[in-house]
Structures are given as structure tokens and as C-alpha cells.
Amino acid sequence: MHFGLIGLGKMGFNMRERARRGGLDVTGFDRNLDVSDVATIDELIGTLPAPRVVWVMVPAGEVTDKVVAELGEKLSPGDLVIDGGNSRFTEDQRHAAQLAEEGIRFVDCGVSGGVWGLQNGYGLMAGGAAEDVETAMPIFDALRPKGERADSFVHVGGIGAGHYAKMVHNGIEYGLMQSYAEGYQLLAAKDIITDLPGTFRAWQKGTVVRSWLLDLLVKALEEDPGLENIDDYVEDSGEGRWTVEEAIANAVPAPAITAALFARFESREDSSPAMKMVSALRHQFGGHATRPAK
Ligand SMILES: O=C(CO)[C@H](O)[C@H](O)COP(=O)(O)O
């Protein structure tokens, strides 16, 4: 199979390589021509056999919108577009409808594996019509870890289901990371713990909390014990917010994920107006002492 891959950043670059190692022909396009196989999307389309399959791996939002719109103008009826980026699932219906006007098929696919995907393979969650997912199956097979298909690939449901599943996956990721991080601080806070990295290392095998994130935590501490080279400011790319919005829309209690998202917001504050107000109010009603501003 020969397919096109648009977006050769941290994820797409490695995915091209893994697909090639899996025996597929891939023509990659990126605005950074140093890593691109072709100079333009037109050229990419020109290299592909019909029906063309183009995997889009660019940042969610405006950039994905633009690429989908361009593909809608340039591809032909029967061609297939797969959005493998972290698009919000609600965008998928719109993209699918836009492409369907030109007879172009659409599949959304949540991709998990990060920068380790080249080596370990990717977990894949696809949404769309069964026949369209089937068309893309050779790509999914090349990208996922070797072994049973059901281990790391799922056709989750209709359009949007793949990205919905990836959104929830990322929400869980927020909660897990926050939990490990709080455990790290609790261990570090107690002087009876004399081997903090060793504690996490000992949890890596056999314990209830063993996981790949725990392995990465151990790796991070090996690289920078005490995390002295890393600031405590934590970004977010949107999926945590969307997960919390979905929790509200569906009246699903999601306190752990929500708290993990809010902890990131808190990480960005130099000082907290809210906590100043709590201190001011304790003083107002109870005459409790406040500390002078730093
Ligand atoms: O999809 C991912 C991992 O599964 C991406 O790394 C994502 O960017 C992580 O989300 P955030 O930036 O909000 O922490």
C-alpha cells in the first residue's frame, strides 16, 4: 500500500518511519522541507495511486481545518482522509461532511504512543464507516505494536468515536500523572524516606501501580534527580478541558480528571488571588492573622 502523510512533526515523522519499516510506501509532506519527501500537497497527491489515502497528522484546530479544506479541493471521489491528530471529536462530523460533499471518505483516529511509538508501536482508536476503516487497515497494522490486532487497535464506532476515545484516554492520562506526581511530593516530604527513586523503581514490577507512566517517572528521576532543571509550569493542549466539558455535558462525575486539569492551571500562577481572598475572609470573620504579601 502507498499512502500520503501530511505533518512530519514529533509524531508524524516517526509514524512515517514505522509505516515504512512495516513494508508500506509513504510519501510525507511537511512545511519543513528538510524532512519532507515532496515540496507541496499537490505533489504528494500526484504520487499516490487511486483511491488515494492521506493521513493528516498536524496540530488540532485551525491547521487541521486548513489541511482538510485543501484536501477537499484537491482529492477525488472515493479517496480517503484519515485525521490522526488530536482533533476534538466534535470537529470530525464537520470535516466528514465537508469532504463528503466531494465524495471523499473520512476516518478519525486517536493515536497514542508519543515519541516512543516508532519503537513500541502506537495504540490506535478509529472512528468511521467499517469499509473506510478497512481501507486504512494496512496502515493501522503497520503502526500498531505487533501481536493480536485487538491488543492495540479498535474500531470504536462512527465518525468522531476515535477522537472521543482518545480524548478520554488523555483525560485518564491527566489523572494518572497527577496521582503519581502527588505521590512523588508526599514521598519527598518525609525524611524517613531515604531512597525516593528506589521506591518508585521497586514499584515498577509486580505492584498494583506499575505502568508505563511509572516507568517514565523513574526515567525522569534518573535523568534529573530532584527535577532541578524543570520548571513547575505545566501546559495543556485542550484534551483535558474537552474531557471535563464532556463530563459536565453528560453529568458524569470526574473529580480526579478535573482536579488534575485545575492543578495545571494552578501551576501557572505566581501568586493566587483566590487564596489571598480566603486569607482575607478568615481575617474578616474570625480575626485570624494574615501573612504580609511577599
Ligand atoms: O496525546 C498526547 C498524549 O497521549 C499528547 O502528548 C498530548 O499533547 C498531551 O496532552 P496535554 O498537552 O494536554 O498534556
Side-chain angles (χ1 to χ4, degrees):
M1 180 182 188
H2 182 182
F3 73 103
L5 177 56
I6 298 178
L8 302 168
K10 277 193 301 241
M11 291 291 285
F13 186 87
N14 282 347
M15 289 167 70
R16 175 178 61 178
E17 182 55 28
R18 187 167 173 92
R20 282 178 178 160
R21 289 183 194 175
L24 303 187
D25 281 335
V26 191
T27 303
F29 169 75
D30 195 274
R31 281 182 314 180
N32 173 6
L33 296 182
D34 291 343
V35 296
S36 194
D37 300 316
V38 286
T40 62
I41 289 183
D42 286 293
E43 203 185 322
L44 173 128
I45 291 171
T47 68
L48 301 175
R52 300 176 194 88
V53 177
V54 180
W55 186 297
V56 178
M57 206 64 202
V58 299
E62 232 174 89
V63 187
T64 299
D65 280 352
K66 275 196 188 146
V67 172
V68 168
E70 186 170 349
L71 290 173
E73 285 162 17
K74 293 179 172 169
L75 290 175
S76 307
D79 291 347
L80 173 68
V81 172
I82 304 158
D83 179 8
N86 269 344
S87 293
R88 189 173 185 157
F89 78 99
T90 47
E91 303 287 279
D92 293 324
Q93 288 289 351
R94 191 166 57 80
H95 289 150
Q98 195 180 343
L99 292 168
E101 279 176 26
E102 312 301 329
I104 301 164
R105 302 176 290 150
F106 179 83
V107 163
D108 58 281
C109 184
V111 178
S112 178
V115 291
W116 294 84
L118 172 60
Q119 185 179 317
N120 299 339
Y122 301 89
L124 303 165
M125 301 140 249
E131 59 272 27
D132 300 339
V133 171
E134 200 48 48
T135 302
M137 216 52 232
I139 309 178
F140 299 139
D141 278 335
L143 293 178
R144 69 188 179 79
K146 297 293 162 234
E148 291 301 310
R149 178 170 292 176
D151 283 348
S152 42
F153 170 81
V154 58
H155 178 193
V156 203
I159 298 285
H163 279 142
Y164 188 88
K166 179 66 188 347
M167 177 198 75
V168 175
H169 163 285
N170 278 30
I172 294 170
E173 183 180 290
Y174 274 55
L176 288 174
M177 287 196 290
Q178 186 64 28
S179 200
Y180 284 124
E182 289 173 14
Y184 165 71
Q185 188 168 355
L186 275 166
L187 288 171
K190 205 71 179 167
D191 55 10
I192 50 169
I193 300 288
T194 53
D195 188 357
L196 187 154
T199 307
F200 282 113
R201 261 199 308 275
W203 289 352
Q204 280 181 283
K205 293 208 171 74
T207 72
V208 173
V209 298
R210 67 187 186 272
S211 74
W212 188 53
L213 279 172
L214 179 67
D215 296 343
L216 295 177
L217 181 154
V218 168
K219 185 170 176 294
L221 287 179
E222 277 164 7
E223 287 170 6
D224 183 2
L227 307 179
E228 270 150 31
N229 300 313
I230 298 175
D231 193 49
D232 56 5
Y233 183 109
V234 187
E235 274 292 358
D236 73 296
S237 333
E239 302 230 21
R241 298 178 193 221
W242 306 336
T243 309
V244 172
E245 285 170 23
E246 277 306 304
I248 294 166
N250 294 286
V252 171
I257 294 172
T258 306
L261 173 68
F262 286 4
R264 293 196 188 190
F265 297 163
E266 202 176 353
S267 81
R268 301 170 200 167
E269 294 194 327
D270 291 330
S271 80
S272 166
M275 295 320 289
K276 277 177 185 248
M277 181 54 81
V278 171
S279 190
L281 289 174
R282 280 181 81 247
H283 179 68
Q284 291 291 330
F285 65 67
H288 302 295
T290 57
R291 280 167 52 149
K294 285 182 219 125

